[in-house]
Amino acid sequence: MPPPLAERLRALLDSTLDRTDLPGLPEPERGKVRDVYDLGPDLLIVTTDRVSAFDVVCGTVPCKGQVLNAIAAHCFERSADLAPNHLRACPDPNAMLVRKLDPLPVEVIVRRYISGSLWRDYSRGERRLYGIELPDGLRADERFDELLVTPTSKAGPGEHDAPLSTEEILSRGLVAPRVWERVRGTALALFARGEQEAASKGLILVDSKYEFGLDRDTLYVMDEIHTPDSSRYWEADGSAERFEAGQPQRMLDKENVRQWLRERGFEGHGRPPPLDDEVRVELARAYLELQRRLLGEPPELPADGLDVHARLVDSLARAGILKGP
Ligand SMILES: Nc1ncnc2c1ncn2[C@@H]1O[C@H](COP(=O)(O)OP(=O)(O)O)[C@@H](O)[C@H]1O
Ligand SMILES: [Mg+2]
């Protein structure tokens, strides 16, 4: 019998992909999670195993990069009829070749439930947020009948995203009115699709962040979609009962790590406490479970002792993206 998943994941704790250095390519832009290599008309986006919370990198989690890459690729493919996206190919489990775009300075979160940062603001008494008036009397994790779109500015390194209203976006000329209309419409359509797909797998898509970019006049969806880094997912079974009883939802996303950090006094300021093995394995399990549910097949884990960076270099050489030795 193969060892249980937690044991296999513990064996991978010391061989996570923390950072990449690809021979013969220019230095990448390093985001919190991704290393982005400029190949000219395309970008090579390598999704590492880094985990960020409250906009700070807190460590690594086994298999996290490959899970994000697989879910994003799957969801891009399954929504290409709704809007064009940046995906061109996946040359490695941790890498995506994408169309290089001119990113919009605004990203949006579509929300079906009041949760996360929106709930925290609301529970502090805020009622007018993102140019939207929220009614009194909402409860934590309550469902909205109508989807909410909450835009934020895209923060640079070390900054936090700032909330925006549609009015500010247009009056400050951050996005042209016609493009903004497309952004909203596309985000809502993608979310509706994601919600349907999640529901068919016994899951609830709670909220989801979308980023967009332009290539000339064409608007593309970029970055990642419907991953557990960019979205919240809850287990559907028993969710209504948990809400009625005022209990927390069962989460298959990064909120678990945010909670773990919050319990230790970290909310994005100063140095995060190092993640312990247990929380790293737990998050890996949640992410792999989400991939299994959404994609309908068990994810393939790297063999014990596999050097993921060496495999990446090898795959990219075979795809002709890196020159061979
Ligand atoms: N197709 C694309 N064209 C240009 N930029 C992109 C594209 N897809 C993603 N990006 C950008 O690449 C970066 C990905 O790295 P990531 O680690 O997610 O960054 P962040 O720390 O901003 O979340 C982000 O800044 C994202 O906006
Ligand atoms: Mg990102």
Side-chain angles (χ1 to χ4, degrees):
M1 266 221 318
L5 182 59
E7 209 172 296
R8 291 215 51 205
L9 291 170
R10 269 193 292 277
L12 297 172
L13 283 169
D14 292 331
S15 52
T16 52
L17 185 65
D18 181 22
R19 162 192 175 93
T20 63
D21 261 306
L22 298 176
L25 294 186
E27 259 303 284
E29 294 274 344
R30 295 184 205 275
K32 291 184 291 290
V33 173
R34 297 179 175 73
D35 290 349
V36 181
Y37 293 85
D38 193 334
L39 305 180
D42 293 346
L43 298 175
L44 176 71
I45 300 191
V46 181
T47 306
T48 70
D49 293 327
R50 297 193 291 266
V51 58
S52 80
F54 308 110
D55 291 330
V56 177
V57 178
C58 301
T60 61
V61 164
C63 306
K64 178 173 175 286
Q66 67 167 61
V67 168
L68 295 182
N69 205 57
I71 294 178
H74 174 85
C75 295
F76 276 136
E77 281 162 11
R78 307 265 301 193
S79 65
D81 59 316
L82 297 176
N85 63 61
H86 72 166
L87 173 65
R88 289 197 198 275
C90 285
D92 179 82
N94 284 76
M96 210 180 261
L97 198 62
V98 306
R99 180 190 296 263
K100 179 162 73 184
L101 298 166
D102 192 8
L104 298 189
V106 173
E107 56 192 38
V108 300
I109 300 181
V110 178
R111 301 172 187 266
R112 176 59 86 193
Y113 292 81
I114 184 160
S115 187
S117 67
L118 185 62
W119 170 252
R120 285 195 288 283
D121 292 341
Y122 183 89
S123 61
R124 278 197 289 266
E126 303 259 10
R127 291 294 177 270
R128 194 174 170 76
L129 291 152
Y130 306 93
I132 301 164
E133 204 70 56
L134 291 169
D136 283 331
L138 294 176
R139 293 162 56 196
D141 298 340
E142 189 159 346
R143 186 176 191 278
F144 296 120
D145 291 333
E146 256 185 65
L147 290 172
L148 236 62
V149 178
T150 60
T152 53
S153 62
K154 270 189 72 177
E159 294 169 26
H160 294 285
D161 299 351
L164 290 169
S165 64
T166 290
E167 205 189 5
E168 281 172 295
I169 292 166
L170 299 180
S171 67
R172 286 166 58 185
L174 297 176
V175 182
R178 277 196 18 231
V179 176
W180 179 241
E181 216 170 286
R182 292 271 314 284
V183 165
R184 276 186 61 98
T186 305
L188 288 166
L190 289 172
F191 190 88
R193 173 69 56 83
E195 225 177 9
Q196 268 170 17
E197 299 240 337
S200 73
K201 309 287 157 63
L203 296 163
I204 293 175
L205 184 61
V206 178
D207 51 41
S208 199
K209 179 207 69 169
Y210 301 97
E211 294 186 32
F212 295 87
L214 290 166
D215 184 0
R216 294 165 207 237
D217 287 337
T218 307
L219 183 74
Y220 289 84
V221 188
M222 61 172 219
D223 205 48
E224 58 180 342
I225 60 166
H226 300 164
T227 71
D229 264 17
S230 70
S231 314
R232 283 192 179 78
Y233 281 95
W234 294 338
E235 190 72 65
D237 191 31
S239 161
E241 291 78 2
R242 282 190 285 277
F243 171 70
E244 287 308 330
Q247 291 169 353
Q249 294 293 329
R250 287 178 51 199
M251 301 169 291
L252 288 159
D253 57 61
K254 218 169 60 173
E255 192 62 20
N256 290 311
V257 164
R258 293 195 197 98
Q259 258 174 27
W260 186 92
L261 290 164
R262 228 180 275 122
E263 283 161 16
R264 285 155 186 81
F266 181 76
E267 284 199 49
H269 301 285
R271 279 256 292 272
L275 301 176
D276 64 27
D277 288 358
E278 202 182 328
V279 70
R280 294 173 70 208
V281 168
E282 217 22 71
L283 192 71
R285 272 162 59 115
Y287 272 43
L288 287 161
E289 168 66 4
L290 184 72
Q291 178 180 341
R292 186 185 67 76
R293 297 272 289 276
L294 287 177
L295 274 61
E297 50 193 47
E300 233 175 86
L301 269 55
D304 283 2
L306 177 86
D307 179 341
V308 175
H309 195 278
R311 184 209 57 207
L312 173 70
V313 169
D314 201 46
S315 322
L316 296 176
R318 266 187 284 119
I321 296 166
L322 293 179
K323 303 228 165 27

mmCIF file with all atom_site columns, all heavy atoms in Angstrom, residues 142-163:
data_model
loop_
_atom_site.group_PDB
_atom_site.id
_atom_site.type_symbol
_atom_site.label_atom_id
_atom_site.label_alt_id
_atom_site.label_comp_id
_atom_site.label_asym_id
_atom_site.label_entity_id
_atom_site.label_seq_id
_atom_site.pdbx_PDB_ins_code
_atom_site.Cartn_x
_atom_site.Cartn_y
_atom_site.Cartn_z
_atom_site.occupancy
_atom_site.B_iso_or_equiv
_atom_site.pdbx_formal_charge
_atom_site.auth_seq_id
_atom_site.auth_comp_id
_atom_site.auth_asym_id
_atom_site.auth_atom_id
_atom_site.pdbx_PDB_model_num
ATOM 1   N N   . GLU A 1 142 ? -22.804 35.362 4.859   1.00 0.00 ? 142 GLU A N   1
ATOM 2   C CA  . GLU A 1 142 ? -24.144 35.386 4.262   1.00 0.00 ? 142 GLU A CA  1
ATOM 3   C C   . GLU A 1 142 ? -24.051 35.510 2.743   1.00 0.00 ? 142 GLU A C   1
ATOM 4   O O   . GLU A 1 142 ? -23.155 36.160 2.215   1.00 0.00 ? 142 GLU A O   1
ATOM 5   C CB  . GLU A 1 142 ? -24.951 36.556 4.850   1.00 0.00 ? 142 GLU A CB  1
ATOM 6   C CG  . GLU A 1 142 ? -26.407 36.521 4.437   1.00 0.00 ? 142 GLU A CG  1
ATOM 7   C CD  . GLU A 1 142 ? -27.317 37.336 5.374   1.00 0.00 ? 142 GLU A CD  1
ATOM 8   O OE1 . GLU A 1 142 ? -26.865 37.704 6.476   1.00 0.00 ? 142 GLU A OE1 1
ATOM 9   O OE2 . GLU A 1 142 ? -28.457 37.587 4.969   1.00 0.00 ? 142 GLU A OE2 1
ATOM 10  N N   . ARG A 1 143 ? -25.005 34.885 2.069   1.00 0.00 ? 143 ARG A N   1
ATOM 11  C CA  . ARG A 1 143 ? -25.003 34.881 0.608   1.00 0.00 ? 143 ARG A CA  1
ATOM 12  C C   . ARG A 1 143 ? -25.663 36.149 0.071   1.00 0.00 ? 143 ARG A C   1
ATOM 13  O O   . ARG A 1 143 ? -26.669 36.603 0.610   1.00 0.00 ? 143 ARG A O   1
ATOM 14  C CB  . ARG A 1 143 ? -25.793 33.660 0.129   1.00 0.00 ? 143 ARG A CB  1
ATOM 15  C CG  . ARG A 1 143 ? -25.760 33.421 -1.362  1.00 0.00 ? 143 ARG A CG  1
ATOM 16  C CD  . ARG A 1 143 ? -26.498 32.117 -1.685  1.00 0.00 ? 143 ARG A CD  1
ATOM 17  N NE  . ARG A 1 143 ? -26.276 31.705 -3.060  1.00 0.00 ? 143 ARG A NE  1
ATOM 18  C CZ  . ARG A 1 143 ? -26.954 32.187 -4.104  1.00 0.00 ? 143 ARG A CZ  1
ATOM 19  N NH1 . ARG A 1 143 ? -27.901 33.079 -3.923  1.00 0.00 ? 143 ARG A NH1 1
ATOM 20  N NH2 . ARG A 1 143 ? -26.678 31.760 -5.325  1.00 0.00 ? 143 ARG A NH2 1
ATOM 21  N N   . PHE A 1 144 ? -25.081 36.725 -1.000  1.00 0.00 ? 144 PHE A N   1
ATOM 22  C CA  . PHE A 1 144 ? -25.737 37.826 -1.711  1.00 0.00 ? 144 PHE A CA  1
ATOM 23  C C   . PHE A 1 144 ? -26.568 37.236 -2.839  1.00 0.00 ? 144 PHE A C   1
ATOM 24  O O   . PHE A 1 144 ? -26.096 36.361 -3.568  1.00 0.00 ? 144 PHE A O   1
ATOM 25  C CB  . PHE A 1 144 ? -24.703 38.760 -2.364  1.00 0.00 ? 144 PHE A CB  1
ATOM 26  C CG  . PHE A 1 144 ? -23.806 39.480 -1.397  1.00 0.00 ? 144 PHE A CG  1
ATOM 27  C CD1 . PHE A 1 144 ? -22.430 39.300 -1.448  1.00 0.00 ? 144 PHE A CD1 1
ATOM 28  C CD2 . PHE A 1 144 ? -24.325 40.355 -0.451  1.00 0.00 ? 144 PHE A CD2 1
ATOM 29  C CE1 . PHE A 1 144 ? -21.581 39.987 -0.581  1.00 0.00 ? 144 PHE A CE1 1
ATOM 30  C CE2 . PHE A 1 144 ? -23.481 41.042 0.419   1.00 0.00 ? 144 PHE A CE2 1
ATOM 31  C CZ  . PHE A 1 144 ? -22.118 40.854 0.358   1.00 0.00 ? 144 PHE A CZ  1
ATOM 32  N N   . ASP A 1 145 ? -27.795 37.746 -3.016  1.00 0.00 ? 145 ASP A N   1
ATOM 33  C CA  . ASP A 1 145 ? -28.600 37.280 -4.161  1.00 0.00 ? 145 ASP A CA  1
ATOM 34  C C   . ASP A 1 145 ? -27.966 37.752 -5.457  1.00 0.00 ? 145 ASP A C   1
ATOM 35  O O   . ASP A 1 145 ? -27.936 37.041 -6.451  1.00 0.00 ? 145 ASP A O   1
ATOM 36  C CB  . ASP A 1 145 ? -30.028 37.816 -4.059  1.00 0.00 ? 145 ASP A CB  1
ATOM 37  C CG  . ASP A 1 145 ? -30.752 37.150 -2.894  1.00 0.00 ? 145 ASP A CG  1
ATOM 38  O OD1 . ASP A 1 145 ? -30.376 36.008 -2.552  1.00 0.00 ? 145 ASP A OD1 1
ATOM 39  O OD2 . ASP A 1 145 ? -31.659 37.778 -2.318  1.00 0.00 ? 145 ASP A OD2 1
ATOM 40  N N   . GLU A 1 146 ? -27.466 39.004 -5.414  1.00 0.00 ? 146 GLU A N   1
ATOM 41  C CA  . GLU A 1 146 ? -26.807 39.530 -6.609  1.00 0.00 ? 146 GLU A CA  1
ATOM 42  C C   . GLU A 1 146 ? -25.308 39.590 -6.386  1.00 0.00 ? 146 GLU A C   1
ATOM 43  O O   . GLU A 1 146 ? -24.858 40.025 -5.325  1.00 0.00 ? 146 GLU A O   1
ATOM 44  C CB  . GLU A 1 146 ? -27.321 40.936 -6.886  1.00 0.00 ? 146 GLU A CB  1
ATOM 45  C CG  . GLU A 1 146 ? -28.292 40.943 -8.035  1.00 0.00 ? 146 GLU A CG  1
ATOM 46  C CD  . GLU A 1 146 ? -28.706 42.350 -8.382  1.00 0.00 ? 146 GLU A CD  1
ATOM 47  O OE1 . GLU A 1 146 ? -27.843 43.141 -8.819  1.00 0.00 ? 146 GLU A OE1 1
ATOM 48  O OE2 . GLU A 1 146 ? -29.887 42.653 -8.196  1.00 0.00 ? 146 GLU A OE2 1
ATOM 49  N N   . LEU A 1 147 ? -24.553 39.191 -7.395  1.00 0.00 ? 147 LEU A N   1
ATOM 50  C CA  . LEU A 1 147 ? -23.096 39.199 -7.249  1.00 0.00 ? 147 LEU A CA  1
ATOM 51  C C   . LEU A 1 147 ? -22.576 40.618 -7.039  1.00 0.00 ? 147 LEU A C   1
ATOM 52  O O   . LEU A 1 147 ? -23.064 41.567 -7.645  1.00 0.00 ? 147 LEU A O   1
ATOM 53  C CB  . LEU A 1 147 ? -22.447 38.610 -8.508  1.00 0.00 ? 147 LEU A CB  1
ATOM 54  C CG  . LEU A 1 147 ? -22.640 37.111 -8.725  1.00 0.00 ? 147 LEU A CG  1
ATOM 55  C CD1 . LEU A 1 147 ? -22.125 36.709 -10.103 1.00 0.00 ? 147 LEU A CD1 1
ATOM 56  C CD2 . LEU A 1 147 ? -21.923 36.324 -7.637  1.00 0.00 ? 147 LEU A CD2 1
ATOM 57  N N   . LEU A 1 148 ? -21.579 40.736 -6.192  1.00 0.00 ? 148 LEU A N   1
ATOM 58  C CA  . LEU A 1 148 ? -20.929 42.021 -5.940  1.00 0.00 ? 148 LEU A CA  1
ATOM 59  C C   . LEU A 1 148 ? -19.606 42.061 -6.696  1.00 0.00 ? 148 LEU A C   1
ATOM 60  O O   . LEU A 1 148 ? -18.895 41.058 -6.732  1.00 0.00 ? 148 LEU A O   1
ATOM 61  C CB  . LEU A 1 148 ? -20.610 42.108 -4.447  1.00 0.00 ? 148 LEU A CB  1
ATOM 62  C CG  . LEU A 1 148 ? -21.148 43.288 -3.658  1.00 0.00 ? 148 LEU A CG  1
ATOM 63  C CD1 . LEU A 1 148 ? -22.659 43.277 -3.697  1.00 0.00 ? 148 LEU A CD1 1
ATOM 64  C CD2 . LEU A 1 148 ? -20.677 43.194 -2.206  1.00 0.00 ? 148 LEU A CD2 1
ATOM 65  N N   . VAL A 1 149 ? -19.286 43.202 -7.282  1.00 0.00 ? 149 VAL A N   1
ATOM 66  C CA  . VAL A 1 149 ? -17.972 43.374 -7.907  1.00 0.00 ? 149 VAL A CA  1
ATOM 67  C C   . VAL A 1 149 ? -17.207 44.417 -7.095  1.00 0.00 ? 149 VAL A C   1
ATOM 68  O O   . VAL A 1 149 ? -17.648 45.557 -6.978  1.00 0.00 ? 149 VAL A O   1
ATOM 69  C CB  . VAL A 1 149 ? -18.101 43.831 -9.371  1.00 0.00 ? 149 VAL A CB  1
ATOM 70  C CG1 . VAL A 1 149 ? -16.723 44.050 -9.983  1.00 0.00 ? 149 VAL A CG1 1
ATOM 71  C CG2 . VAL A 1 149 ? -18.886 42.821 -10.195 1.00 0.00 ? 149 VAL A CG2 1
ATOM 72  N N   . THR A 1 150 ? -16.087 44.014 -6.493  1.00 0.00 ? 150 THR A N   1
ATOM 73  C CA  . THR A 1 150 ? -15.302 44.952 -5.684  1.00 0.00 ? 150 THR A CA  1
ATOM 74  C C   . THR A 1 150 ? -13.919 45.130 -6.317  1.00 0.00 ? 150 THR A C   1
ATOM 75  O O   . THR A 1 150 ? -13.080 44.249 -6.240  1.00 0.00 ? 150 THR A O   1
ATOM 76  C CB  . THR A 1 150 ? -15.180 44.458 -4.225  1.00 0.00 ? 150 THR A CB  1
ATOM 77  O OG1 . THR A 1 150 ? -14.545 43.189 -4.201  1.00 0.00 ? 150 THR A OG1 1
ATOM 78  C CG2 . THR A 1 150 ? -16.537 44.338 -3.565  1.00 0.00 ? 150 THR A CG2 1
ATOM 79  N N   . PRO A 1 151 ? -13.699 46.300 -6.943  1.00 0.00 ? 151 PRO A N   1
ATOM 80  C CA  . PRO A 1 151 ? -12.403 46.548 -7.601  1.00 0.00 ? 151 PRO A CA  1
ATOM 81  C C   . PRO A 1 151 ? -11.342 47.066 -6.628  1.00 0.00 ? 151 PRO A C   1
ATOM 82  O O   . PRO A 1 151 ? -11.676 47.739 -5.656  1.00 0.00 ? 151 PRO A O   1
ATOM 83  C CB  . PRO A 1 151 ? -12.725 47.655 -8.621  1.00 0.00 ? 151 PRO A CB  1
ATOM 84  C CG  . PRO A 1 151 ? -14.171 48.003 -8.447  1.00 0.00 ? 151 PRO A CG  1
ATOM 85  C CD  . PRO A 1 151 ? -14.659 47.399 -7.176  1.00 0.00 ? 151 PRO A CD  1
ATOM 86  N N   . THR A 1 152 ? -10.098 46.744 -6.910  1.00 0.00 ? 152 THR A N   1
ATOM 87  C CA  . THR A 1 152 ? -8.989  47.333 -6.153  1.00 0.00 ? 152 THR A CA  1
ATOM 88  C C   . THR A 1 152 ? -7.893  47.749 -7.123  1.00 0.00 ? 152 THR A C   1
ATOM 89  O O   . THR A 1 152 ? -7.779  47.204 -8.222  1.00 0.00 ? 152 THR A O   1
ATOM 90  C CB  . THR A 1 152 ? -8.361  46.346 -5.139  1.00 0.00 ? 152 THR A CB  1
ATOM 91  O OG1 . THR A 1 152 ? -8.014  45.142 -5.821  1.00 0.00 ? 152 THR A OG1 1
ATOM 92  C CG2 . THR A 1 152 ? -9.307  46.015 -4.000  1.00 0.00 ? 152 THR A CG2 1
ATOM 93  N N   . SER A 1 153 ? -7.071  48.701 -6.665  1.00 0.00 ? 153 SER A N   1
ATOM 94  C CA  . SER A 1 153 ? -5.893  49.062 -7.449  1.00 0.00 ? 153 SER A CA  1
ATOM 95  C C   . SER A 1 153 ? -4.917  47.899 -7.338  1.00 0.00 ? 153 SER A C   1
ATOM 96  O O   . SER A 1 153 ? -4.897  47.193 -6.331  1.00 0.00 ? 153 SER A O   1
ATOM 97  C CB  . SER A 1 153 ? -5.269  50.330 -6.867  1.00 0.00 ? 153 SER A CB  1
ATOM 98  O OG  . SER A 1 153 ? -4.863  50.072 -5.545  1.00 0.00 ? 153 SER A OG  1
ATOM 99  N N   . LYS A 1 154 ? -4.098  47.717 -8.372  1.00 0.00 ? 154 LYS A N   1
ATOM 100 C CA  . LYS A 1 154 ? -3.082  46.664 -8.295  1.00 0.00 ? 154 LYS A CA  1
ATOM 101 C C   . LYS A 1 154 ? -1.855  47.219 -7.601  1.00 0.00 ? 154 LYS A C   1
ATOM 102 O O   . LYS A 1 154 ? -1.209  48.136 -8.094  1.00 0.00 ? 154 LYS A O   1
ATOM 103 C CB  . LYS A 1 154 ? -2.700  46.179 -9.694  1.00 0.00 ? 154 LYS A CB  1
ATOM 104 C CG  . LYS A 1 154 ? -3.564  45.023 -10.141 1.00 0.00 ? 154 LYS A CG  1
ATOM 105 C CD  . LYS A 1 154 ? -3.042  44.417 -11.415 1.00 0.00 ? 154 LYS A CD  1
ATOM 106 C CE  . LYS A 1 154 ? -1.770  43.649 -11.193 1.00 0.00 ? 154 LYS A CE  1
ATOM 107 N NZ  . LYS A 1 154 ? -1.299  43.011 -12.429 1.00 0.00 ? 154 LYS A NZ  1
ATOM 108 N N   . ALA A 1 155 ? -1.554  46.671 -6.437  1.00 0.00 ? 155 ALA A N   1
ATOM 109 C CA  . ALA A 1 155 ? -0.462  47.204 -5.635  1.00 0.00 ? 155 ALA A CA  1
ATOM 110 C C   . ALA A 1 155 ? 0.890   46.763 -6.180  1.00 0.00 ? 155 ALA A C   1
ATOM 111 O O   . ALA A 1 155 ? 1.030   45.667 -6.710  1.00 0.00 ? 155 ALA A O   1
ATOM 112 C CB  . ALA A 1 155 ? -0.609  46.710 -4.202  1.00 0.00 ? 155 ALA A CB  1
ATOM 113 N N   . GLY A 1 156 ? 1.878   47.622 -6.051  1.00 0.00 ? 156 GLY A N   1
ATOM 114 C CA  . GLY A 1 156 ? 3.247   47.259 -6.392  1.00 0.00 ? 156 GLY A CA  1
ATOM 115 C C   . GLY A 1 156 ? 3.848   46.428 -5.273  1.00 0.00 ? 156 GLY A C   1
ATOM 116 O O   . GLY A 1 156 ? 3.184   46.183 -4.266  1.00 0.00 ? 156 GLY A O   1
ATOM 117 N N   . PRO A 1 157 ? 5.134   45.997 -5.423  1.00 0.00 ? 157 PRO A N   1
ATOM 118 C CA  . PRO A 1 157 ? 5.763   45.161 -4.400  1.00 0.00 ? 157 PRO A CA  1
ATOM 119 C C   . PRO A 1 157 ? 5.717   45.828 -3.019  1.00 0.00 ? 157 PRO A C   1
ATOM 120 O O   . PRO A 1 157 ? 5.994   47.015 -2.897  1.00 0.00 ? 157 PRO A O   1
ATOM 121 C CB  . PRO A 1 157 ? 7.207   45.037 -4.888  1.00 0.00 ? 157 PRO A CB  1
ATOM 122 C CG  . PRO A 1 157 ? 7.182   45.383 -6.342  1.00 0.00 ? 157 PRO A CG  1
ATOM 123 C CD  . PRO A 1 157 ? 6.022   46.291 -6.543  1.00 0.00 ? 157 PRO A CD  1
ATOM 124 N N   . GLY A 1 158 ? 5.342   45.087 -2.009  1.00 0.00 ? 158 GLY A N   1
ATOM 125 C CA  . GLY A 1 158 ? 5.326   45.596 -0.642  1.00 0.00 ? 158 GLY A CA  1
ATOM 126 C C   . GLY A 1 158 ? 4.136   46.480 -0.301  1.00 0.00 ? 158 GLY A C   1
ATOM 127 O O   . GLY A 1 158 ? 3.991   46.927 0.819   1.00 0.00 ? 158 GLY A O   1
ATOM 128 N N   . GLU A 1 159 ? 3.272   46.735 -1.297  1.00 0.00 ? 159 GLU A N   1
ATOM 129 C CA  . GLU A 1 159 ? 2.103   47.566 -1.017  1.00 0.00 ? 159 GLU A CA  1
ATOM 130 C C   . GLU A 1 159 ? 0.864   46.688 -0.868  1.00 0.00 ? 159 GLU A C   1
ATOM 131 O O   . GLU A 1 159 ? 0.852   45.547 -1.272  1.00 0.00 ? 159 GLU A O   1
ATOM 132 C CB  . GLU A 1 159 ? 1.836   48.537 -2.181  1.00 0.00 ? 159 GLU A CB  1
ATOM 133 C CG  . GLU A 1 159 ? 2.897   49.585 -2.389  1.00 0.00 ? 159 GLU A CG  1
ATOM 134 C CD  . GLU A 1 159 ? 2.679   50.307 -3.714  1.00 0.00 ? 159 GLU A CD  1
ATOM 135 O OE1 . GLU A 1 159 ? 1.539   50.366 -4.188  1.00 0.00 ? 159 GLU A OE1 1
ATOM 136 O OE2 . GLU A 1 159 ? 3.672   50.792 -4.275  1.00 0.00 ? 159 GLU A OE2 1
ATOM 137 N N   . HIS A 1 160 ? -0.177  47.268 -0.283  1.00 0.00 ? 160 HIS A N   1
ATOM 138 C CA  . HIS A 1 160 ? -1.446  46.556 -0.196  1.00 0.00 ? 160 HIS A CA  1
ATOM 139 C C   . HIS A 1 160 ? -2.407  47.140 -1.234  1.00 0.00 ? 160 HIS A C   1
ATOM 140 O O   . HIS A 1 160 ? -2.380  48.331 -1.516  1.00 0.00 ? 160 HIS A O   1
ATOM 141 C CB  . HIS A 1 160 ? -2.053  46.698 1.204   1.00 0.00 ? 160 HIS A CB  1
ATOM 142 C CG  . HIS A 1 160 ? -1.235  46.016 2.266   1.00 0.00 ? 160 HIS A CG  1
ATOM 143 N ND1 . HIS A 1 160 ? -1.224  44.647 2.414   1.00 0.00 ? 160 HIS A ND1 1
ATOM 144 C CD2 . HIS A 1 160 ? -0.411  46.505 3.203   1.00 0.00 ? 160 HIS A CD2 1
ATOM 145 C CE1 . HIS A 1 160 ? -0.408  44.336 3.420   1.00 0.00 ? 160 HIS A CE1 1
ATOM 146 N NE2 . HIS A 1 160 ? 0.104   45.433 3.911   1.00 0.00 ? 160 HIS A NE2 1
ATOM 147 N N   . ASP A 1 161 ? -3.271  46.280 -1.781  1.00 0.00 ? 161 ASP A N   1
ATOM 148 C CA  . ASP A 1 161 ? -4.272  46.759 -2.741  1.00 0.00 ? 161 ASP A CA  1
ATOM 149 C C   . ASP A 1 161 ? -5.212  47.742 -2.045  1.00 0.00 ? 161 ASP A C   1
ATOM 150 O O   . ASP A 1 161 ? -5.549  47.547 -0.890  1.00 0.00 ? 161 ASP A O   1
ATOM 151 C CB  . ASP A 1 161 ? -5.118  45.587 -3.260  1.00 0.00 ? 161 ASP A CB  1
ATOM 152 C CG  . ASP A 1 161 ? -4.268  44.547 -3.976  1.00 0.00 ? 161 ASP A CG  1
ATOM 153 O OD1 . ASP A 1 161 ? -3.084  44.824 -4.209  1.00 0.00 ? 161 ASP A OD1 1
ATOM 154 O OD2 . ASP A 1 161 ? -4.806  43.477 -4.301  1.00 0.00 ? 161 ASP A OD2 1
ATOM 155 N N   . ALA A 1 162 ? -5.615  48.787 -2.778  1.00 0.00 ? 162 ALA A N   1
ATOM 156 C CA  . ALA A 1 162 ? -6.551  49.754 -2.184  1.00 0.00 ? 162 ALA A CA  1
ATOM 157 C C   . ALA A 1 162 ? -7.917  49.639 -2.860  1.00 0.00 ? 162 ALA A C   1
ATOM 158 O O   . ALA A 1 162 ? -7.993  49.508 -4.081  1.00 0.00 ? 162 ALA A O   1
ATOM 159 C CB  . ALA A 1 162 ? -6.000  51.156 -2.359  1.00 0.00 ? 162 ALA A CB  1
ATOM 160 N N   . PRO A 1 163 ? -8.992  49.688 -2.082  1.00 0.00 ? 163 PRO A N   1
ATOM 161 C CA  . PRO A 1 163 ? -10.339 49.597 -2.656  1.00 0.00 ? 163 PRO A CA  1
ATOM 162 C C   . PRO A 1 163 ? -10.629 50.778 -3.583  1.00 0.00 ? 163 PRO A C   1
ATOM 163 O O   . PRO A 1 163 ? -10.156 51.889 -3.339  1.00 0.00 ? 163 PRO A O   1
ATOM 164 C CB  . PRO A 1 163 ? -11.269 49.683 -1.428  1.00 0.00 ? 163 PRO A CB  1
ATOM 165 C CG  . PRO A 1 163 ? -10.420 49.478 -0.244  1.00 0.00 ? 163 PRO A CG  1
ATOM 166 C CD  . PRO A 1 163 ? -9.019  49.799 -0.619  1.00 0.00 ? 163 PRO A CD  1
#
